Amino acid sequence: MTATEASRSFAAVLDSAEHGETIVVTRGGRRIAVIGPAPTGNGAAINDVLRSFRADDTFAADVSSARTLLKDKVTEWPGD
């Protein structure tokens, strides 16, 4: 689909993507974009991996060391 066609029928392009189609947008015969369905994951798999992660005994020291190295580059740490 050309960029002009996509802009003129953008609602239809989104409807197609919502129904699982992938649309390739071209300009001057070159592929410039791909519009497709968004991932539906909610992060549960990532949470499962993070929950199963066991930090080794040196993890806290490694984090502290990294923070020390970055102290002049980072002004505020999350959770501080």
Side-chain angles (χ1 to χ4, degrees), residues 2-76:
T2 68
T4 301
E5 292 169 330
S7 69
R8 288 184 182 152
S9 58
F10 194 63
V13 169
L14 293 180
D15 289 343
S16 295
E18 184 177 25
H19 290 94
E21 293 183 45
T22 299
I23 298 91
V24 176
V25 181
T26 62
R27 181 185 290 151
R30 293 183 343 216
R31 296 167 56 113
I32 59 167
V34 177
I35 301 172
T40 58
N42 62 6
I46 292 172
N47 282 335
D48 290 344
V49 168
L50 293 175
R51 283 191 185 105
S52 68
F53 174 73
R54 299 270 185 227
D56 62 24
D57 294 337
T58 63
F59 182 74
D62 291 342
V63 171
S64 179
S65 176
R67 288 178 71 159
T68 299
L69 291 172
L70 296 171
K71 68 181 176 189
D72 58 337
K73 295 178 178 42
V74 178
T75 58
E76 184 176 325

